[in-house]
PDB file of all heavy atoms in Angstrom:
ATOM      1  N   PHE A 454       6.672  -7.640   3.404  1.00 95.00           N
ATOM      2  CA  PHE A 454       6.487  -8.516   4.568  1.00 95.00           C
ATOM      3  C   PHE A 454       6.087  -7.706   5.794  1.00 95.00           C
ATOM      4  O   PHE A 454       5.173  -8.084   6.545  1.00 95.00           O
ATOM      5  CB  PHE A 454       7.765  -9.301   4.841  1.00 95.00           C
ATOM      6  CG  PHE A 454       7.659 -10.273   5.974  1.00 95.00           C
ATOM      7  CD1 PHE A 454       7.096 -11.530   5.773  1.00 95.00           C
ATOM      8  CD2 PHE A 454       8.095  -9.937   7.238  1.00 95.00           C
ATOM      9  CE1 PHE A 454       6.976 -12.432   6.816  1.00 95.00           C
ATOM     10  CE2 PHE A 454       7.987 -10.829   8.299  1.00 95.00           C
ATOM     11  CZ  PHE A 454       7.431 -12.085   8.080  1.00 95.00           C
ATOM     12  N   LEU A 472       0.668 -12.947   2.975  1.00 96.00           N
ATOM     13  CA  LEU A 472       1.680 -13.327   3.949  1.00 96.00           C
ATOM     14  C   LEU A 472       1.861 -14.848   3.948  1.00 96.00           C
ATOM     15  O   LEU A 472       2.991 -15.353   4.032  1.00 96.00           O
ATOM     16  CB  LEU A 472       1.283 -12.832   5.336  1.00 96.00           C
ATOM     17  CG  LEU A 472       2.363 -12.868   6.410  1.00 96.00           C
ATOM     18  CD1 LEU A 472       3.531 -11.975   6.037  1.00 96.00           C
ATOM     19  CD2 LEU A 472       1.777 -12.443   7.761  1.00 96.00           C
ATOM     20  N   GLY A 473       0.744 -15.566   3.839  1.00 96.00           N
ATOM     21  CA  GLY A 473       0.829 -17.016   3.724  1.00 96.00           C
ATOM     22  C   GLY A 473       1.647 -17.420   2.512  1.00 96.00           C
ATOM     23  O   GLY A 473       2.431 -18.384   2.555  1.00 96.00           O
ATOM     24  N   PHE A 476       5.411 -17.154   3.283  1.00 95.00           N
ATOM     25  CA  PHE A 476       5.899 -18.293   4.058  1.00 95.00           C
ATOM     26  C   PHE A 476       5.908 -19.564   3.207  1.00 95.00           C
ATOM     27  O   PHE A 476       6.781 -20.416   3.360  1.00 95.00           O
ATOM     28  CB  PHE A 476       5.033 -18.494   5.305  1.00 95.00           C
ATOM     29  CG  PHE A 476       5.393 -17.592   6.442  1.00 95.00           C
ATOM     30  CD1 PHE A 476       4.608 -16.482   6.744  1.00 95.00           C
ATOM     31  CD2 PHE A 476       6.529 -17.822   7.209  1.00 95.00           C
ATOM     32  CE1 PHE A 476       4.940 -15.636   7.789  1.00 95.00           C
ATOM     33  CE2 PHE A 476       6.877 -16.981   8.255  1.00 95.00           C
ATOM     34  CZ  PHE A 476       6.082 -15.885   8.547  1.00 95.00           C
ATOM     35  N   ASP A 485       7.983 -22.053   5.591  1.00 95.00           N
ATOM     36  CA  ASP A 485       7.232 -22.693   6.676  1.00 95.00           C
ATOM     37  C   ASP A 485       5.831 -23.015   6.162  1.00 95.00           C
ATOM     38  O   ASP A 485       4.922 -22.179   6.225  1.00 95.00           O
ATOM     39  CB  ASP A 485       7.176 -21.762   7.885  1.00 95.00           C
ATOM     40  CG  ASP A 485       6.628 -22.451   9.137  1.00 95.00           C
ATOM     41  OD1 ASP A 485       5.878 -23.449   8.986  1.00 95.00           O
ATOM     42  OD2 ASP A 485       6.946 -21.996  10.249  1.00 95.00           O
ATOM     43  N   ILE A 486       5.657 -24.230   5.638  1.00 94.00           N
ATOM     44  CA  ILE A 486       4.373 -24.617   5.043  1.00 94.00           C
ATOM     45  C   ILE A 486       3.254 -24.621   6.080  1.00 94.00           C
ATOM     46  O   ILE A 486       2.131 -24.185   5.801  1.00 94.00           O
ATOM     47  CB  ILE A 486       4.489 -26.005   4.380  1.00 94.00           C
ATOM     48  CG1 ILE A 486       5.535 -25.977   3.261  1.00 94.00           C
ATOM     49  CG2 ILE A 486       3.133 -26.445   3.831  1.00 94.00           C
ATOM     50  CD1 ILE A 486       5.226 -25.015   2.147  1.00 94.00           C
ATOM     51  N   LYS A 487       3.547 -25.115   7.287  1.00 94.00           N
ATOM     52  CA  LYS A 487       2.501 -25.170   8.321  1.00 94.00           C
ATOM     53  C   LYS A 487       1.996 -23.772   8.677  1.00 94.00           C
ATOM     54  O   LYS A 487       0.799 -23.555   8.843  1.00 94.00           O
ATOM     55  CB  LYS A 487       3.031 -25.874   9.571  1.00 94.00           C
ATOM     56  CG  LYS A 487       3.215 -27.375   9.387  1.00 94.00           C
ATOM     57  CD  LYS A 487       3.602 -28.043  10.698  1.00 94.00           C
ATOM     58  CE  LYS A 487       3.694 -29.559  10.502  1.00 94.00           C
ATOM     59  NZ  LYS A 487       4.069 -30.258  11.762  1.00 94.00           N
ATOM     60  N   LYS A 488       2.925 -22.827   8.784  1.00 96.00           N
ATOM     61  CA  LYS A 488       2.508 -21.458   9.099  1.00 96.00           C
ATOM     62  C   LYS A 488       1.717 -20.851   7.951  1.00 96.00           C
ATOM     63  O   LYS A 488       0.739 -20.124   8.170  1.00 96.00           O
ATOM     64  CB  LYS A 488       3.726 -20.596   9.417  1.00 96.00           C
ATOM     65  CG  LYS A 488       3.357 -19.223   9.955  1.00 96.00           C
ATOM     66  CD  LYS A 488       4.531 -18.554  10.648  1.00 96.00           C
ATOM     67  CE  LYS A 488       4.095 -17.264  11.338  1.00 96.00           C
ATOM     68  NZ  LYS A 488       5.192 -16.647  12.107  1.00 96.00           N
ATOM     69  N   SER A 489       2.135 -21.155   6.724  1.00 96.00           N
ATOM     70  CA  SER A 489       1.400 -20.624   5.569  1.00 96.00           C
ATOM     71  C   SER A 489      -0.019 -21.186   5.546  1.00 96.00           C
ATOM     72  O   SER A 489      -0.973 -20.462   5.258  1.00 96.00           O
ATOM     73  CB  SER A 489       2.127 -20.958   4.259  1.00 96.00           C
ATOM     74  OG  SER A 489       2.004 -22.324   3.928  1.00 96.00           O
ATOM     75  N   LEU A 490      -0.187 -22.462   5.893  1.00 96.00           N
ATOM     76  CA  LEU A 490      -1.520 -23.056   5.910  1.00 96.00           C
ATOM     77  C   LEU A 490      -2.381 -22.474   7.027  1.00 96.00           C
ATOM     78  O   LEU A 490      -3.592 -22.285   6.844  1.00 96.00           O
ATOM     79  CB  LEU A 490      -1.413 -24.576   6.070  1.00 96.00           C
ATOM     80  CG  LEU A 490      -0.867 -25.328   4.853  1.00 96.00           C
ATOM     81  CD1 LEU A 490      -0.660 -26.798   5.176  1.00 96.00           C
ATOM     82  CD2 LEU A 490      -1.782 -25.167   3.650  1.00 96.00           C
ATOM     83  N   ARG A 491      -1.752 -22.163   8.160  1.00 97.00           N
ATOM     84  CA  ARG A 491      -2.517 -21.513   9.237  1.00 97.00           C
ATOM     85  C   ARG A 491      -3.017 -20.145   8.791  1.00 97.00           C
ATOM     86  O   ARG A 491      -4.171 -19.773   9.049  1.00 97.00           O
ATOM     87  CB  ARG A 491      -1.648 -21.374  10.494  1.00 97.00           C
ATOM     88  CG  ARG A 491      -1.434 -22.664  11.254  1.00 97.00           C
ATOM     89  CD  ARG A 491      -0.986 -22.411  12.682  1.00 97.00           C
ATOM     90  NE  ARG A 491       0.274 -21.696  12.750  1.00 97.00           N
ATOM     91  CZ  ARG A 491       1.479 -22.263  12.759  1.00 97.00           C
ATOM     92  NH1 ARG A 491       1.571 -23.602  12.692  1.00 97.00           N
ATOM     93  NH2 ARG A 491       2.570 -21.537  12.841  1.00 97.00           N
ATOM     94  N   LEU A 492      -2.144 -19.411   8.105  1.00 97.00           N
ATOM     95  CA  LEU A 492      -2.560 -18.093   7.598  1.00 97.00           C
ATOM     96  C   LEU A 492      -3.641 -18.235   6.533  1.00 97.00           C
ATOM     97  O   LEU A 492      -4.598 -17.450   6.500  1.00 97.00           O
ATOM     98  CB  LEU A 492      -1.347 -17.358   7.022  1.00 97.00           C
ATOM     99  CG  LEU A 492      -0.386 -16.762   8.052  1.00 97.00           C
ATOM    100  CD1 LEU A 492       0.941 -16.403   7.419  1.00 97.00           C
ATOM    101  CD2 LEU A 492      -1.012 -15.532   8.713  1.00 97.00           C
ATOM    102  N   TYR A 493      -3.516 -19.233   5.664  1.00 97.00           N
ATOM    103  CA  TYR A 493      -4.544 -19.455   4.649  1.00 97.00           C
ATOM    104  C   TYR A 493      -5.894 -19.753   5.302  1.00 97.00           C
ATOM    105  O   TYR A 493      -6.937 -19.270   4.844  1.00 97.00           O
ATOM    106  CB  TYR A 493      -4.158 -20.624   3.735  1.00 97.00           C
ATOM    107  CG  TYR A 493      -3.040 -20.325   2.767  1.00 97.00           C
ATOM    108  CD1 TYR A 493      -2.166 -21.345   2.368  1.00 97.00           C
ATOM    109  CD2 TYR A 493      -2.839 -19.052   2.243  1.00 97.00           C
ATOM    110  CE1 TYR A 493      -1.131 -21.098   1.476  1.00 97.00           C
ATOM    111  CE2 TYR A 493      -1.814 -18.794   1.356  1.00 97.00           C
ATOM    112  CZ  TYR A 493      -0.957 -19.819   0.971  1.00 97.00           C
ATOM    113  OH  TYR A 493       0.057 -19.558   0.085  1.00 97.00           O
TER     114      TYR A 493
END
Side-chain angles (χ1 to χ4, degrees):
F454 183 82
L472 193 62
F476 278 104
D485 190 336
I486 299 299
K487 288 186 176 180
K488 189 163 187 176
S489 73
L490 289 174
R491 285 199 299 271
L492 284 164
Y493 287 149

